[in-house]
Amino acid sequence: MKRSLALVMLLASSFAPAARAANEADYKVAYAAAEAASKEAAGMRNQWTTTLSTLAAAKKAGDGGDFDRAVTAAKEAEALAKGSIVQATSEKNAWKAMEIR
Amino acid sequence: MASSIRVRAIANGDITEVQALIQHPMDSGFVKDAKGGLIPPHFIQELKFACNGKEVFVADWGPAVSKDPYIKFSFKGAKKGDDLKISWTDNKGASDETTAKIA
Amino acid sequence: MKAGSSLLLGSLSAALVAFALTSPRVVAADKVDPAADAKAFQNFFFQKFPNVKHEDFVNGPYSMNEDMKRQWQEKEEFPPYEFALDAGKEMFSTPFKNGKTYADCFPNGGIGIRQNYPYFDTKEGKVVTLELALNRCREANGEAPYSYVKDEMASLTAYMAFTSRGKPMDIKIPDDPRAFEAFENGKRYFYTRRGQLNFSCASCHVQSPGQRIRAEILAPALGILNAMPIYRSEWSGMGTTTRRLMTCNSQTRAVPLEPQADEYRDVEYFLSYVANGLPISGPGARP
Amino acid sequence: MTTHIGPHPTRRLILQGAVTVALIGLGNLPFAPARAAANDKYPEEAFKQKSEADAIKALYGKTAEPSDKVKLDAPEIAENGAVVPVSVTTTLDKVTSISFFVAENPNALAASYKIPDGTMPVVANRLKMAKTTNVVAIVEADGKLFSATKEVKVTVGGCGG
């Protein structure tokens, strides 16, 4: 029993470094990706209000040094921006389904 | 500046029906402005209607009366052409009054 | 933002992509036929609400619910837009610094012409709405333009609408391919889903008019702009067509476009054209 | 009042007792005209009260009993909490005052109207309601209070943004 426990401890610790706190570099990368996606959505004139508010939250957390929260929010903003891009692309034709003919 | 009081008084027989709409913010003091600050209370407290020298209707209002307040009532003892005097004062001491002819 | 919403997002985008691929009715190139569109649009509502009188559709939610209609008729005895109307009338006749007035910018002195707006300007090749024309008139006479979402613009359009009350909407589409394209662009905007809530105008105003969205009853899309501008109790103030379109966008969590953007002008053109024949009922009072 | 043990405590006590009784009695008297006078003055106190019961007491100094002779007209679901059309009419006669209360507003009393004789006991107005609650109309007829109550549902509109 004791040996397997040690094994588990070893495994857990080896993962530990990967989940270390995000630092400024991680935040910068995540924020840049989110911002690019948001710009693309704006270019398609289909930005979501929640993309902008989440992006702002990411920036606020980032400026405040809370990089964990900032990276999470930046990833969230990127996902929202990507969602609006998919929506705009698919709606190019999907709108006809609801048209009164 | 046009009066803040719009009034319509129509006599049919001995009964005169009066409707009035008054331009006033009627701020209750519970509402926040865009920047999150409370808008101070600013509402009409007293509204009086008088005809032929007699008070025919007096309203005591609180902040729960809607913006641009509206009121409708009727009274006896007046006829077409009589003057109906309307006046109000608010909690900041501002006031306005107007006189309307009964149609 | 809760992690749950990104989950929702993943499923949303997947569903969207699947939906696009399988949509059977994607027709290669539709011939744009506004007249047929208008007929189909009106018949859809006439059949969906057989006991609503055709001209009543312009009363929005009040054509859909008796209790709301009663509240509205009580308010109409002395409507809250009364002050905006008086202010608009006064502004309309107050000369600019150069002595001219709005009457000089509009056919028939601007009286009783609201039903012809928006129109397609063949010189400019674009739709011109009443609000845009008013600001262009101000600029042409050396005056600063008004905000498209504030009281001055609402008062002016309220007065011009009032002078056309009861006249049937009469929007024309000139024989100009750009006009047909503007109409089609407006129609596309009307049916396109947007915002994180993924609603199009049609999701509410075609699929579920008469039903409640919390306290409010949804208005039918037919004649929905005939009552503009409207005094909304929710805003406790006047609202122009621009303000209504922009607030609808943000309600579905879509970032609004700039006022008088082409999309807004075209969707106004589309919605007004398909309501041809229905009376102008502006200015209106709404929840 | 300090009780003072004097030669004839009981007589003194009786005397003091009598005086206070008189005062209380008097207290009512000036109070009555004061209330009548209060009618002309803006009922500041009543508008400050939180609950509807306190507001009614502050305004009229007595309680009301429901009566089907008071017809209160208010919507089932308010189109919008900021502008709720409410009106009352009654077949009672000698009506001197009509008031409206919104039970769960920050302050219950919304509006109070004085009805001089010759004026019909009918009033329509538009009130603000903070949330779904009871609207109460009180009619003072021939010195007695009668009431009618109706619940009005209030919520926001739209899909919220």
Side-chain angles (χ1 to χ4, degrees):
Chain A
M1 221 333 251
K2 215 151 56 54
R3 213 156 42 68
S4 58
L5 196 62
L7 193 62
V8 166
M9 291 290 289
L10 193 65
L11 266 176
S13 63
S14 65
F15 277 118
R20 57 155 174 65
N23 62 26
E24 178 146 20
D26 305 328
Y27 158 63
K28 284 259 183 296
V29 166
Y31 189 83
E35 204 173 28
S38 164
K39 278 208 171 51
E40 190 186 345
M44 302 173 87
R45 291 171 79 74
N46 193 49
Q47 185 83 272
W48 290 354
T49 51
T50 36
T51 307
L52 297 183
S53 52
T54 314
L55 207 57
K59 189 166 187 333
K60 191 157 173 276
D63 295 349
D66 182 346
F67 297 120
D68 274 335
R69 209 140 61 80
V71 168
T72 317
K75 284 205 166 46
E76 179 79 37
E78 186 186 0
L80 287 166
K82 288 236 163 65
S84 63
I85 293 164
V86 165
Q87 180 186 57
T89 321
S90 65
E91 278 301 304
K92 279 206 172 47
N93 289 308
W95 67 272
K96 287 199 172 72
M98 207 190 283
E99 182 194 352
I100 298 174
R101 288 169 176 246
Chain B
M1 210 280 282
S3 158
S4 64
I5 304 169
R6 295 282 183 291
V7 65
R8 200 181 295 153
I10 301 161
N12 35 44
D14 185 28
I15 296 179
T16 305
E17 187 187 75
V18 179
Q19 288 178 67
L21 189 75
I22 301 162
Q23 190 164 17
H24 197 282
M26 299 301 279
D27 294 324
S28 62
F30 297 110
V31 178
K32 288 198 170 61
D33 59 22
K35 287 181 293 307
L38 268 180
I39 301 170
H42 180 206
F43 56 89
I44 290 174
Q45 292 187 314
E46 198 169 65
L47 169 70
K48 283 201 170 101
F49 292 80
C51 182
N52 301 335
K54 184 170 86 70
E55 251 173 25
V56 292
F57 192 70
V58 174
D60 292 330
W61 279 344
V65 173
S66 298
K67 176 177 186 261
D68 297 339
Y70 165 83
I71 188 77
K72 181 164 119 177
F73 68 96
S74 354
F75 69 99
K76 290 199 191 119
K79 56 187 179 339
K80 215 158 100 66
D82 285 359
D83 278 347
L84 178 66
K85 198 166 88 64
I86 305 109
S87 58
W88 59 259
T89 51
D90 67 20
N91 65 326
K92 287 189 174 157
S95 66
D96 191 2
E97 64 173 62
T98 189
T99 305
K101 277 261 184 291
I102 295 179
Chain C
M1 287 301 288
K2 293 174 296 306
S5 70
S6 52
L7 196 67
L8 161 82
L9 249 156
S11 56
L12 169 87
S13 23
L16 275 173
V17 169
F19 183 76
L21 297 178
T22 57
S23 155
R25 298 181 48 196
V26 172
V27 178
D30 268 349
K31 193 184 107 15
V32 177
D33 184 351
D37 285 348
K39 189 160 246 341
F41 199 89
Q42 295 200 358
N43 285 340
F44 173 85
F45 287 96
F46 295 158
Q47 276 142 28
K48 187 165 181 155
F49 302 98
N51 40 35
V52 173
K53 288 208 292 297
H54 292 185
E55 65 277 12
D56 262 359
F57 278 103
V58 299
N59 298 328
Y62 307 125
S63 63
M64 298 280 125
N65 177 296
E66 274 318 308
D67 183 41
M68 296 281 268
K69 185 166 191 167
R70 206 170 49 74
Q71 282 183 59
W72 171 56
Q73 276 160 337
E74 233 169 278
K75 263 198 312 188
E76 279 296 297
E77 280 186 29
F78 232 137
Y81 51 73
E82 193 84 15
F83 299 108
L85 201 47
D86 291 348
K89 185 171 186 166
E90 204 180 316
M91 286 160 68
F92 199 79
S93 45
T94 313
F96 302 126
K97 286 196 277 303
N98 64 9
K100 289 229 182 70
T101 69
Y102 293 103
D104 304 317
C105 300
F106 289 93
N108 195 30
I111 304 303
I113 56 158
R114 179 264 180 272
Q115 71 278 5
N116 302 325
Y117 285 77
Y119 70 94
F120 187 81
D121 184 322
T122 43
K123 281 190 303 305
E124 184 186 341
K126 277 196 178 175
V127 171
V128 174
T129 64
L130 185 59
E131 295 168 17
L132 188 59
L134 279 164
N135 261 348
R136 284 183 175 170
C137 173
R138 289 184 61 77
E139 280 164 331
N141 288 290
E143 299 281 347
Y146 284 134
S147 142
Y148 285 107
V149 292
K150 285 270 191 309
D151 284 350
E152 297 86 355
M153 182 57 81
S155 299
L156 280 173
T157 46
Y159 174 63
M160 289 183 81
F162 186 72
T163 62
S164 289
R165 252 195 189 174
K167 292 188 172 197
M169 187 73 93
D170 179 17
I171 304 297
K172 297 180 186 52
I173 299 189
D175 189 9
D176 177 331
R178 294 169 304 172
F180 282 78
E181 204 211 322
F183 176 85
E184 188 69 10
N185 188 27
K187 179 167 74 175
R188 182 182 317 109
Y189 185 88
F190 179 78
Y191 287 109
T192 298
R193 290 177 176 279
R194 56 182 55 84
Q196 189 183 356
L197 297 190
N198 198 31
F199 287 138
S200 67
C201 315
S203 317
C204 288
H205 298 293
V206 169
Q207 288 185 327
S208 28
Q211 289 169 32
R212 276 198 185 278
I213 182 158
R214 298 198 283 188
E216 279 159 10
I217 299 278
L218 287 168
L222 180 59
I224 201 163
L225 296 182
N226 288 44
M228 284 297 172
I230 47 175
Y231 180 99
R232 286 202 69 214
S233 302
E234 186 160 326
W235 300 333
S236 60
M238 289 300 290
T240 57
T241 303
T242 303
R243 180 176 184 180
R244 178 68 273 193
L245 290 175
M246 291 172 85
T247 43
C248 254
N249 282 160
S250 31
Q251 292 232 3
T252 63
R253 296 185 182 171
V255 171
L257 305 170
E258 64 287 1
Q260 296 301 320
D262 286 351
E263 291 91 333
Y264 287 155
R265 288 155 71 173
D266 291 347
V267 72
E268 191 174 333
Y269 191 49
F270 164 74
L271 278 174
S272 304
Y273 179 82
V274 297
N276 268 353
L278 295 181
I280 296 296
S281 60
R286 290 287 185 276
Chain D
M1 287 191 291
T2 55
T3 53
H4 174 68
I5 310 300
H8 297 292
T10 47
R11 196 162 60 74
R12 180 181 303 287
L13 274 177
I14 296 161
L15 258 180
Q16 274 168 355
V19 165
T20 30
V21 164
L23 265 182
I24 291 169
L26 264 178
N28 267 332
L29 217 56
F31 179 63
R35 191 162 51 73
N39 262 335
D40 307 335
K41 191 166 61 49
Y42 180 71
E44 195 77 39
E45 250 334 280
F47 275 110
K48 284 206 182 69
Q49 299 306 318
K50 286 268 165 293
S51 82
E52 163 212 340
D54 298 346
I56 295 173
K57 193 176 304 82
L59 192 59
Y60 295 109
K62 48 191 181 221
T63 53
E65 48 167 295
S67 151
D68 52 19
K69 294 201 177 62
V70 177
K71 288 275 170 302
L72 170 63
D73 182 14
E76 291 295 319
I77 300 177
E79 187 180 81
N80 185 287
V83 182
V84 182
V86 175
S87 58
V88 76
T89 179
T90 178
T91 47
L92 297 165
D93 52 24
K94 294 208 208 60
V95 170
T96 49
S97 165
I98 292 180
S99 299
F100 292 94
F101 300 80
V102 178
E104 285 166 69
N105 264 3
N107 303 95
L109 176 59
S112 173
Y113 301 97
K114 295 184 195 61
I115 314 287
D117 57 16
T119 299
M120 318 293 285
V122 180
V123 179
N125 53 179
R126 294 170 189 164
L127 304 178
K128 293 182 209 166
M129 291 181 64
K131 55 192 223 176
T132 299
T133 184
N134 281 344
V135 172
V136 180
I138 297 278
V139 171
E140 182 185 42
D142 194 16
K144 287 202 290 304
L145 293 186
F146 301 94
S147 71
T149 304
K150 182 175 186 191
E151 188 194 54
V152 176
K153 291 189 183 60
V154 171
T155 176
V156 291
C159 51

